Amino acid sequence: MLVCLTTQSLKDALLDVRKSHSIGFVPTMGALHEGHLSLIKEAQQANDIAVVSIFVNPTQFDNKEDLKKYPRTLERDTKLLEQVNCDFVFAPSANDIYENNIHSTKFTFGGLEHAMEGKFREGHFDGVGTIVKRLFEIVEPTNAYFGEKDFQQLQIIKKLVTTYNIPIKIVGCKIHREKDGLAMSSRNARLSTKHREVAPFIYKTLREAKLKFEKQSALKVDQWVHEQFRQHPYLELEYFEIANAQTLKTISRKRKGNKYRGFIAAFAGKIRLIDNIALN
Ligand code: PAF
């Protein structure tokens, strides 16, 4: 496994490789967990080589404290990647990847950027769009893998490649969960014992919402979810949305033939957790 700490060294290393090998790419911000490893496995199964990037991207954080506290575990991560036979790790510094100009470009993603995370995390998707586009230009993978936990991000990246005619196939991968249902996330490591204990309530509520959605109106389900969180002593709901899975527009009533998903963002103390579920 080769660890490249600069853009130039990765480009040099991939120059010949890409001539005769397909490249599967998994962009991450490190603090790797089973969810990341499952993306890497998919990349390895469908490509000749796997490249994983580890970069905590400053421009996608709307909260300075969250950026400061984001877990950085490069040594542990590289060991883990070595164990799973990853081929290349790309772990650049911010100045290197941003060429000493750390700021994000303004993007429009056909309105996808205004919903949910876009509403509550100002500039987040400009930061994601900027770094993912840059990573794609450097790695030039055949396929790139993203988890459905960040479902809105996945849709936005699909839009990014079509808008800019980037010849990369975007592969969405199922959410990986802990045994108790909590969606795997690097942020879970920062939960207090009490908050870790209660956090599976998020997925439990989504599952129950899905059952209710079969028989009840979107409005009723929405009210029910809000009520569950109002009564919860440790979790604070930021949003629950029932949205069209393609457009991510919130719906107030179901229409035949459309696919819907339920999306939650909630605070467990200071830690913000997100999760989502297909409702039909
Ligand atoms: O999902 C993430 O970990 C990040 O948003 C990504 C795609 C690596 C961009 O920084």
Side-chain angles (χ1 to χ4, degrees):
M1 185 178 84
L2 189 66
V3 180
C4 298
L5 300 178
T6 65
T7 299
Q8 196 54 53
S9 62
L10 183 79
K11 278 186 167 178
D12 291 347
L14 291 179
L15 196 66
D16 279 339
V17 173
R18 75 170 73 263
K19 287 183 190 152
S20 51
H21 296 87
S22 59
I23 300 177
F25 177 42
V26 182
T28 80
M29 297 208 297
L32 302 179
H33 50 67
E34 287 293 328
H36 294 114
L37 298 186
S38 73
L39 301 184
I40 296 164
K41 205 170 190 179
E42 289 213 28
Q44 288 172 323
Q45 278 165 359
N47 301 273
D48 299 324
I49 67 154
V51 178
V52 173
S53 65
I54 296 178
F55 176 61
V56 181
N57 174 34
T59 66
Q60 70 187 73
F61 285 79
D62 62 327
N63 178 329
K64 282 205 179 104
E65 188 68 6
D66 193 22
L67 171 61
K68 208 167 99 192
K69 297 236 170 101
Y70 201 86
R72 288 161 174 88
T73 55
L74 185 60
E75 206 175 309
R76 178 192 158 273
D77 290 347
T78 44
K79 273 196 196 129
L80 209 57
L81 291 171
E82 181 113 56
Q83 281 166 19
V84 299
N85 296 319
C86 174
D87 301 287
F88 293 90
V89 180
F90 179 41
S93 69
N95 275 331
D96 175 79
I97 195 157
Y98 277 99
E99 297 174 325
N100 295 316
N101 186 15
I102 305 173
H103 81 275
S104 53
T105 311
K106 193 110 197 78
F107 285 94
T108 51
F109 297 108
L112 293 172
E113 72 279 19
H114 299 314
M116 301 177 288
E117 294 300 284
K119 210 174 338 173
F120 288 92
R121 301 180 68 189
E122 215 195 319
H124 173 66
F125 288 122
D126 288 334
V128 170
T130 305
I131 197 63
V132 171
K133 189 162 176 285
R134 179 83 187 117
L135 285 165
F136 284 175
E137 283 159 6
I138 296 165
V139 180
E140 292 183 62
T142 322
N143 301 296
Y145 297 79
F146 294 86
E148 284 189 346
K149 183 174 80 69
D150 297 288
F151 191 85
Q152 189 176 9
Q153 168 174 280
L154 171 64
Q155 298 305 103
I156 279 178
I157 288 160
K158 284 184 178 166
K159 184 81 183 165
L160 176 86
V161 295
T162 56
T163 307
Y164 290 92
N165 292 316
I166 302 172
I168 298 171
K169 184 175 164 214
I170 304 302
V171 184
C173 305
K174 277 210 192 95
I175 301 176
H176 229 73
R177 298 185 180 280
E178 302 287 354
K179 281 205 179 78
D180 58 13
L182 177 64
M184 287 194 183
S185 162
S186 305
R187 288 192 170 85
N188 294 352
R190 291 178 50 210
L191 292 167
S192 70
T193 311
K194 186 71 215 173
H195 286 124
R196 173 62 191 83
E197 193 186 306
V198 299
F201 179 82
I202 296 172
Y203 183 52
K204 182 173 165 275
T205 308
L206 280 173
R207 276 199 338 260
E208 284 178 42
K210 181 185 171 107
L211 290 178
K212 290 189 184 295
F213 192 75
E214 281 171 20
K215 297 193 191 92
Q216 294 179 10
S217 70
L219 187 66
K220 272 252 153 39
V221 177
D222 185 77
Q223 285 168 345
W224 179 82
V225 170
H226 278 88
E227 190 49 36
Q228 301 315 296
F229 277 89
R230 247 192 304 278
Q231 290 171 15
H232 201 287
Y234 295 103
L235 296 173
E236 196 190 321
L237 186 66
E238 184 165 62
Y239 64 73
F240 170 68
E241 305 259 353
I242 297 177
N244 181 301
Q246 247 76 54
T247 63
L248 300 184
K249 288 214 169 87
T250 309
I251 60 147
S252 47
R253 59 170 51 202
K254 310 177 208 173
R255 282 182 211 286
K256 269 207 180 115
N258 285 341
K259 291 269 176 229
Y260 300 111
R261 286 187 95 89
F263 295 85
I264 281 182
F267 280 94
K270 285 192 171 156
I271 311 302
R272 188 174 182 277
L273 300 172
I274 60 170
D275 201 350
N276 67 86
I277 197 168
L279 292 174
N280 63 344

